[in-house]
Amino acid sequence: MIGYSFMGAAHSQAWRTVNRVYELPARVRMAQICGRDAAKVAEAADRLGWDTHTTDWRALVASDDIDVVDICTPGDSHAEIALAALAAGKHVICEKPLANTVEEARAMTAAAATAGASGVRSMCGFNYRRVPAVALMRQLVAEGRLGTIRHVRATYLQDWIVDPQFPLVWRLQKDKAGSGALGDIGAHIIDLTQFVTGQRITGVSAVTETFVKERPLPGASSGLAAEVDGTATATGTVTVDDAAIFVARLDDGALATYEATRFATGRKNALRVEINGSLGSVVFDLERLNELEFYDASRPATEQGFTRILVTEAEHPYMAAWWPPGHIIGYEHSFTHEMRDFVEAVANGVDPTPSFADALQVQLVLDAVTRSADLGSRWTDVEPALAALAV
């Protein structure tokens, strides 16, 4: 694994757990973790459960005793690492968004297709697909329980940079992060809604805003809980969006609205998706992760209303390996489910999902949103993924 901060810790938790929860056709050995700071990566290896550590990702990728490379770094290094790992014959799992640009995502997807022909597998880590309630939501749509999908509403609200004195961490720098709230959390709701509905976004009209344009330079810590060096007076320019809002059309005719912001005061990790169809509606709220709200319009009028489904039964997706009904799971379990699916796919010689091609399509939506906002919210078509690969 390359990277050991927030996502590195989440992925490590999953790698440690996956074989202890699920009966899988292969066993995971956490061989080596890589980071730029020798002392910090050594500490992370001990704390997170890795056998060895290094500061040289190229040596890690070339190592004969490593089969899988897990990329948990900022977006500016995803493409370089993934391309090298695939060329070395390693299976790759890469955090979202896949890359910082469409061009990088194209190159990664093409390399994944070439490697896939030789049995090398790759996947992008959109972990919210693996929340049992989300997987159940997809099942209900796929089974036709909602009928024709007409509306999609998706929001992802956070507030961790509301304070203008919060420092200029890497997530606020375009050269490292690619974009701001749009790519960081907007990518999640783009992927999640397309996954649940089975429809692709074909066009958008968008607006973005950067509310705080200058921030203090960070001290030693640069994560989500970073602190300002109290002696520093220098500031730097925020080069990403703080918020993005857009309307969209999906390829089977549904209309959709999306909002991603890190300035929703009081909202910590509020992802919410609602799907309205001709026969019913379904709602998922990440802050009520074990629940799904389902409205079945086929019921008699005297019985209609949103039903709360507690998604903890053994018959629900992923849940048979966990606890008795009613015993809830948490955020970290989505990553364990992600690694379960990845290990099973690699061991069985099939391509895991979401693929790099799926992630490229999300990247194309992000690009269309950015272009629309730059053009004063002009309606902007999303380039088809196959056309993007042909360029």
PDB file of all heavy atoms in Angstrom, residues 185-200:
ATOM      1  N   ILE A 185     -15.715  14.889  -2.822  1.00  0.00           N
ATOM      2  CA  ILE A 185     -16.951  14.263  -2.374  1.00  0.00           C
ATOM      3  C   ILE A 185     -18.018  14.207  -3.475  1.00  0.00           C
ATOM      4  O   ILE A 185     -18.856  13.307  -3.481  1.00  0.00           O
ATOM      5  CB  ILE A 185     -17.507  14.953  -1.104  1.00  0.00           C
ATOM      6  CG1 ILE A 185     -17.694  16.460  -1.323  1.00  0.00           C
ATOM      7  CG2 ILE A 185     -16.579  14.700   0.067  1.00  0.00           C
ATOM      8  CD1 ILE A 185     -18.252  17.193  -0.093  1.00  0.00           C
ATOM      9  N   GLY A 186     -17.957  15.133  -4.425  1.00  0.00           N
ATOM     10  CA  GLY A 186     -18.902  15.079  -5.540  1.00  0.00           C
ATOM     11  C   GLY A 186     -18.727  13.807  -6.366  1.00  0.00           C
ATOM     12  O   GLY A 186     -19.709  13.243  -6.857  1.00  0.00           O
ATOM     13  N   ALA A 187     -17.486  13.351  -6.502  1.00  0.00           N
ATOM     14  CA  ALA A 187     -17.239  12.117  -7.254  1.00  0.00           C
ATOM     15  C   ALA A 187     -17.999  10.950  -6.643  1.00  0.00           C
ATOM     16  O   ALA A 187     -18.483  10.057  -7.357  1.00  0.00           O
ATOM     17  CB  ALA A 187     -15.743  11.822  -7.289  1.00  0.00           C
ATOM     18  N   HIS A 188     -18.122  10.928  -5.317  1.00  0.00           N
ATOM     19  CA  HIS A 188     -18.830   9.839  -4.643  1.00  0.00           C
ATOM     20  C   HIS A 188     -20.299   9.793  -5.045  1.00  0.00           C
ATOM     21  O   HIS A 188     -20.836   8.724  -5.356  1.00  0.00           O
ATOM     22  CB  HIS A 188     -18.736  10.003  -3.126  1.00  0.00           C
ATOM     23  CG  HIS A 188     -17.562   9.330  -2.503  1.00  0.00           C
ATOM     24  ND1 HIS A 188     -17.311   7.993  -2.646  1.00  0.00           N
ATOM     25  CD2 HIS A 188     -16.570   9.826  -1.717  1.00  0.00           C
ATOM     26  CE1 HIS A 188     -16.216   7.674  -1.971  1.00  0.00           C
ATOM     27  NE2 HIS A 188     -15.745   8.759  -1.406  1.00  0.00           N
ATOM     28  N   ILE A 189     -20.978  10.942  -5.034  1.00  0.00           N
ATOM     29  CA  ILE A 189     -22.406  10.920  -5.339  1.00  0.00           C
ATOM     30  C   ILE A 189     -22.660  10.730  -6.835  1.00  0.00           C
ATOM     31  O   ILE A 189     -23.695  10.194  -7.223  1.00  0.00           O
ATOM     32  CB  ILE A 189     -23.153  12.153  -4.780  1.00  0.00           C
ATOM     33  CG1 ILE A 189     -22.487  13.468  -5.196  1.00  0.00           C
ATOM     34  CG2 ILE A 189     -23.260  12.053  -3.266  1.00  0.00           C
ATOM     35  CD1 ILE A 189     -23.250  14.701  -4.731  1.00  0.00           C
ATOM     36  N   ILE A 190     -21.726  11.148  -7.668  1.00  0.00           N
ATOM     37  CA  ILE A 190     -21.840  10.863  -9.103  1.00  0.00           C
ATOM     38  C   ILE A 190     -21.786   9.353  -9.320  1.00  0.00           C
ATOM     39  O   ILE A 190     -22.638   8.762  -9.980  1.00  0.00           O
ATOM     40  CB  ILE A 190     -20.733  11.582  -9.893  1.00  0.00           C
ATOM     41  CG1 ILE A 190     -20.964  13.095  -9.885  1.00  0.00           C
ATOM     42  CG2 ILE A 190     -20.668  11.051 -11.335  1.00  0.00           C
ATOM     43  CD1 ILE A 190     -19.779  13.898 -10.384  1.00  0.00           C
ATOM     44  N   ASP A 191     -20.771   8.714  -8.763  1.00  0.00           N
ATOM     45  CA  ASP A 191     -20.644   7.268  -8.934  1.00  0.00           C
ATOM     46  C   ASP A 191     -21.809   6.529  -8.292  1.00  0.00           C
ATOM     47  O   ASP A 191     -22.366   5.597  -8.889  1.00  0.00           O
ATOM     48  CB  ASP A 191     -19.326   6.769  -8.332  1.00  0.00           C
ATOM     49  CG  ASP A 191     -19.177   5.259  -8.465  1.00  0.00           C
ATOM     50  OD1 ASP A 191     -18.919   4.781  -9.584  1.00  0.00           O
ATOM     51  OD2 ASP A 191     -19.369   4.551  -7.449  1.00  0.00           O
ATOM     52  N   LEU A 192     -22.184   6.932  -7.086  1.00  0.00           N
ATOM     53  CA  LEU A 192     -23.223   6.211  -6.353  1.00  0.00           C
ATOM     54  C   LEU A 192     -24.555   6.250  -7.094  1.00  0.00           C
ATOM     55  O   LEU A 192     -25.237   5.229  -7.228  1.00  0.00           O
ATOM     56  CB  LEU A 192     -23.358   6.793  -4.946  1.00  0.00           C
ATOM     57  CG  LEU A 192     -24.202   6.023  -3.927  1.00  0.00           C
ATOM     58  CD1 LEU A 192     -23.716   6.317  -2.517  1.00  0.00           C
ATOM     59  CD2 LEU A 192     -25.672   6.387  -4.038  1.00  0.00           C
ATOM     60  N   THR A 193     -24.940   7.428  -7.603  1.00  0.00           N
ATOM     61  CA  THR A 193     -26.238   7.530  -8.282  1.00  0.00           C
ATOM     62  C   THR A 193     -26.231   6.773  -9.607  1.00  0.00           C
ATOM     63  O   THR A 193     -27.238   6.160  -9.977  1.00  0.00           O
ATOM     64  CB  THR A 193     -26.628   8.994  -8.515  1.00  0.00           C
ATOM     65  OG1 THR A 193     -25.568   9.677  -9.203  1.00  0.00           O
ATOM     66  CG2 THR A 193     -26.905   9.692  -7.194  1.00  0.00           C
ATOM     67  N   GLN A 194     -25.117   6.807 -10.318  1.00  0.00           N
ATOM     68  CA  GLN A 194     -25.042   6.045 -11.568  1.00  0.00           C
ATOM     69  C   GLN A 194     -25.063   4.540 -11.282  1.00  0.00           C
ATOM     70  O   GLN A 194     -25.679   3.765 -12.011  1.00  0.00           O
ATOM     71  CB  GLN A 194     -23.791   6.439 -12.353  1.00  0.00           C
ATOM     72  CG  GLN A 194     -23.845   7.880 -12.864  1.00  0.00           C
ATOM     73  CD  GLN A 194     -22.679   8.231 -13.779  1.00  0.00           C
ATOM     74  OE1 GLN A 194     -22.856   8.853 -14.823  1.00  0.00           O
ATOM     75  NE2 GLN A 194     -21.479   7.837 -13.395  1.00  0.00           N
ATOM     76  N   PHE A 195     -24.395   4.131 -10.208  1.00  0.00           N
ATOM     77  CA  PHE A 195     -24.394   2.724  -9.796  1.00  0.00           C
ATOM     78  C   PHE A 195     -25.796   2.260  -9.428  1.00  0.00           C
ATOM     79  O   PHE A 195     -26.254   1.196  -9.862  1.00  0.00           O
ATOM     80  CB  PHE A 195     -23.445   2.562  -8.612  1.00  0.00           C
ATOM     81  CG  PHE A 195     -23.509   1.242  -7.910  1.00  0.00           C
ATOM     82  CD1 PHE A 195     -23.075   0.084  -8.524  1.00  0.00           C
ATOM     83  CD2 PHE A 195     -24.017   1.149  -6.609  1.00  0.00           C
ATOM     84  CE1 PHE A 195     -23.130  -1.149  -7.876  1.00  0.00           C
ATOM     85  CE2 PHE A 195     -24.068  -0.060  -5.954  1.00  0.00           C
ATOM     86  CZ  PHE A 195     -23.634  -1.219  -6.587  1.00  0.00           C
ATOM     87  N   VAL A 196     -26.505   3.041  -8.632  1.00  0.00           N
ATOM     88  CA  VAL A 196     -27.827   2.646  -8.155  1.00  0.00           C
ATOM     89  C   VAL A 196     -28.846   2.610  -9.291  1.00  0.00           C
ATOM     90  O   VAL A 196     -29.650   1.674  -9.395  1.00  0.00           O
ATOM     91  CB  VAL A 196     -28.294   3.587  -7.022  1.00  0.00           C
ATOM     92  CG1 VAL A 196     -29.779   3.402  -6.733  1.00  0.00           C
ATOM     93  CG2 VAL A 196     -27.479   3.350  -5.762  1.00  0.00           C
ATOM     94  N   THR A 197     -28.823   3.623 -10.152  1.00  0.00           N
ATOM     95  CA  THR A 197     -29.834   3.714 -11.206  1.00  0.00           C
ATOM     96  C   THR A 197     -29.498   2.906 -12.446  1.00  0.00           C
ATOM     97  O   THR A 197     -30.395   2.584 -13.240  1.00  0.00           O
ATOM     98  CB  THR A 197     -30.045   5.175 -11.641  1.00  0.00           C
ATOM     99  OG1 THR A 197     -28.821   5.680 -12.216  1.00  0.00           O
ATOM    100  CG2 THR A 197     -30.463   6.042 -10.459  1.00  0.00           C
ATOM    101  N   GLY A 198     -28.215   2.599 -12.644  1.00  0.00           N
ATOM    102  CA  GLY A 198     -27.801   1.955 -13.876  1.00  0.00           C
ATOM    103  C   GLY A 198     -27.803   2.900 -15.058  1.00  0.00           C
ATOM    104  O   GLY A 198     -27.710   2.472 -16.213  1.00  0.00           O
ATOM    105  N   GLN A 199     -27.898   4.209 -14.786  1.00  0.00           N
ATOM    106  CA  GLN A 199     -27.911   5.222 -15.841  1.00  0.00           C
ATOM    107  C   GLN A 199     -26.654   6.098 -15.755  1.00  0.00           C
ATOM    108  O   GLN A 199     -26.120   6.312 -14.666  1.00  0.00           O
ATOM    109  CB  GLN A 199     -29.149   6.107 -15.736  1.00  0.00           C
ATOM    110  CG  GLN A 199     -30.463   5.361 -15.917  1.00  0.00           C
ATOM    111  CD  GLN A 199     -31.646   6.309 -15.965  1.00  0.00           C
ATOM    112  OE1 GLN A 199     -31.552   7.425 -16.467  1.00  0.00           O
ATOM    113  NE2 GLN A 199     -32.784   5.867 -15.429  1.00  0.00           N
ATOM    114  N   ARG A 200     -26.220   6.616 -16.882  1.00  0.00           N
ATOM    115  CA  ARG A 200     -25.066   7.493 -16.948  1.00  0.00           C
ATOM    116  C   ARG A 200     -25.495   8.950 -17.127  1.00  0.00           C
ATOM    117  O   ARG A 200     -26.475   9.235 -17.826  1.00  0.00           O
ATOM    118  CB  ARG A 200     -24.154   7.092 -18.121  1.00  0.00           C
ATOM    119  CG  ARG A 200     -23.533   5.692 -17.968  1.00  0.00           C
ATOM    120  CD  ARG A 200     -22.415   5.713 -16.942  1.00  0.00           C
ATOM    121  NE  ARG A 200     -21.827   4.403 -16.749  1.00  0.00           N
ATOM    122  CZ  ARG A 200     -20.706   3.981 -17.339  1.00  0.00           C
ATOM    123  NH1 ARG A 200     -20.078   4.761 -18.214  1.00  0.00           N
ATOM    124  NH2 ARG A 200     -20.203   2.796 -17.069  1.00  0.00           N
TER     125      ARG A 200
END
